[in-house]
Amino acid sequence: MTANHSELTGMTAAALAKIVFGKDPLFILDVRNEEEYSNWRIEGEHVQTINIPYFEFLEGAEYVWDQIPEHQAVLVVCAKEGSSKYVAEQLMEHGIMDVSYLMGGMKAWSEHLEPVKVGDLNDGGAIYQFVRVGKGCLSYMIISGGEAAVVDAVRMTDVFTDFADNLGVKITHTIDTHLHADHISGGRKLAETTGGSYWLPPKDAGEVVFSYRKLGESSAITVGKSTISIQPVYAPGHTIGSTSLIVDGKYLLSGDSLFVQSIGRPDLAGKAEDWVDDLRNTLYKRYKLISEDLVVLPAHFGQVAELGEGGKVSARLGDLYRMNPGLNMQDEAEFRAAVTENLPPQPHAYEAIRQINMGKMSPPDEEQREMELGPNRCAIHDK
């Protein structure tokens, strides 16, 4: 066909997140290899995706053109960006003009965080959820009286400092609900940058090589002069130190113990059999002692179906006890089998990530990015 010299345009990860959150239609041509695509891809309620590896276009296979719509916008995606730009240009040469490529590729998609307001606090403060939509991580910022606490921060800490600066608040606390294995924590770095206190459950910190404040049920963490109380609730099972947080008597930050559609897995520290009883006790007894009207805010989501209005991930605790399959296995043997057998693959590089989060390793930034590629897989149902 005759070449058309219209300029090729790129789509940012932020723009893509808006499409996913808005549940808008999108056709994605993913040109990574089949294994990478099968392991991890862009998903959305009205996102249609096909995988045609890059080399197919190099070989000029004619069959590929029949799979690409001519009258629908097409987003081409690859790992880093370069291959998608080449393929997008080939589509335009072939006469398919409504084409863009994902800027920064899947690496950029993995790192993008989208802030979503969860709700207001009793004293006029607010709580925000930072959705890492390409990986499924969820971080939080609790704001009150000109101060902020960040919970389960990810590696890209500039997002939190920029957000706080724009609101004119100072980050005074960073908190990890547990020692993470699926992503590199930004909590300690963020505390060092802002001069805040870094909190970590001591039962998860036996091998850490840095100083921290001990997060336990006797801890009193306040944010702002008007005092938003953050009440820790010991919730072992995903890790032996896992600790949930009750904020303002209204929100339950459940870490990786409880998700909207699943529950945490106990095997990422190699102690699944040891921690099964702790996990069951947390989910079936400890959480039963707190109000079922609390809004559960987990540290991860596994499926795009868990994204609610505006991209927010949340659910009322009482509703989860009715709907979440992980909370409805009354037989202990069934529960034990569910959380120890036939689990999803473990997160990529999770053992090295644990070492980084203990302070024992500090690889270059690009190596850290590579470690985090792929889904989080913290839940037992994320197959």
Side-chain angles (χ1 to χ4, degrees):
M1 290 191 178
T2 302
N4 186 308
H5 297 290
S6 297
E7 186 176 349
L8 177 64
T9 59
M11 179 183 291
T12 64
L16 178 56
K18 297 292 186 187
I19 291 172
V20 173
F21 285 3
K23 302 182 179 180
D24 298 325
L26 180 66
F27 185 92
I28 293 178
L29 169 60
D30 193 316
V31 299
R32 294 174 298 152
N33 66 51
E34 185 176 346
E35 182 180 355
E36 290 176 323
Y37 175 78
S38 298
N39 180 54
W40 176 51
R41 71 193 77 168
I42 297 167
E43 297 178 297
E45 187 169 319
H46 295 115
V47 172
Q48 181 184 355
T49 310
I50 64 169
N51 175 227
I52 303 177
Y54 170 71
F55 66 82
E56 299 282 358
F57 293 90
L58 293 178
E59 296 174 358
E62 283 299 314
Y63 83 92
V64 302
W65 305 111
D66 296 334
Q67 302 183 57
I68 301 169
E70 293 188 10
H71 305 292
Q72 184 178 348
V74 177
L75 175 67
V76 188
V77 172
C78 68
K80 297 180 181 178
E81 179 182 299
S83 298
S84 63
K85 290 179 74 173
Y86 172 84
V87 171
E89 288 167 352
Q90 296 303 302
L91 299 188
M92 295 178 73
E93 290 282 343
H94 203 78
I96 302 172
M97 305 311 301
D98 194 357
V99 179
S100 58
Y101 65 93
L102 179 60
M103 298 169 67
M106 291 298 284
K107 282 194 173 184
W109 182 237
S110 172
E111 294 187 340
H112 177 71
L113 273 79
E114 190 72 22
V116 177
K117 186 175 181 180
V118 173
D120 295 318
L121 303 179
N122 291 328
D123 76 331
I127 183 168
Y128 290 85
Q129 184 178 68
F130 289 74
V131 184
R132 190 176 177 182
V133 62
K135 189 170 174 63
C137 301
L138 300 168
S139 305
Y140 296 90
M141 185 178 290
I142 302 151
I143 297 171
S144 173
E147 295 182 356
V150 178
V151 180
D152 289 328
V154 294
R155 175 173 50 85
M156 295 73 70
T157 57
D158 287 351
V159 174
F160 305 111
T161 53
D162 290 348
F163 193 81
D165 288 345
N166 289 336
L167 292 180
V169 299
K170 178 177 174 57
I171 296 172
T172 54
H173 300 282
T174 66
I175 305 165
D176 272 327
T177 56
H178 61 288
L179 187 78
H180 295 280
D182 71 297
H183 72 269
I184 296 166
S185 169
R188 183 164 59 100
K189 176 184 174 183
L190 186 57
E192 291 171 352
T193 301
T194 61
S197 299
Y198 174 57
W199 298 79
L200 181 68
K203 289 188 177 181
D204 276 358
E207 296 182 54
V208 303
V209 296
F210 50 80
S211 60
Y212 65 95
R213 296 190 68 176
K214 295 180 179 179
L215 179 69
E217 290 190 318
S218 60
S219 303
I221 305 174
T222 59
V223 183
K225 296 178 181 177
S226 49
T227 309
I228 289 297
S229 175
I230 302 176
Q231 174 190 344
V233 178
Y234 184 46
H238 175 66
T239 67
I240 197 59
S242 288
T243 300
S244 299
L245 306 171
I246 296 176
V247 178
D248 209 27
K250 189 175 181 180
Y251 300 102
L252 175 65
L253 275 62
S254 57
D256 283 353
S257 296
L258 176 62
F259 307 113
V260 170
Q261 293 188 356
S262 189
I263 58 176
R265 59 194 295 170
D267 65 312
L268 296 184
K271 297 184 179 181
E273 292 292 342
D274 293 342
W275 293 351
V276 168
D277 292 338
D278 292 304
L279 182 61
R280 183 172 178 84
N281 188 56
T282 289
L283 298 173
Y284 286 69
K285 294 181 180 179
R286 284 179 175 267
Y287 280 169
K288 284 283 191 178
L289 299 176
I290 56 183
S291 172
E292 66 176 16
D293 289 325
L294 289 172
V295 176
V296 175
L297 299 172
H300 290 96
F301 68 96
Q303 311 293 334
V304 293
E306 295 174 65
L307 296 175
E309 183 179 355
K312 180 172 64 177
V313 180
S314 66
R316 180 177 168 273
L317 181 59
D319 293 335
L320 293 187
Y321 271 110
R322 287 191 294 274
M323 300 183 300
N324 188 317
L327 298 178
N328 286 279
M329 291 180 277
Q330 300 310 318
D331 182 78
E332 291 192 23
E334 177 191 3
F335 181 88
R336 177 175 291 274
V339 301
T340 60
E341 302 173 8
N342 300 315
L343 291 171
Q346 293 171 320
H348 178 58
Y350 75 98
E351 292 176 322
I353 287 173
R354 291 184 73 248
Q355 294 294 311
I356 293 171
N357 290 337
M358 293 176 190
K360 294 182 174 183
M361 293 173 55
S362 184
D365 289 345
E366 188 57 31
E367 188 175 335
Q368 294 187 32
R369 294 182 76 188
E370 293 287 344
M371 286 179 178
E372 289 193 321
L373 289 178
N376 62 75
R377 294 196 176 117
C378 287
I380 68 167
H381 297 103
D382 291 344
K383 296 191 187 299

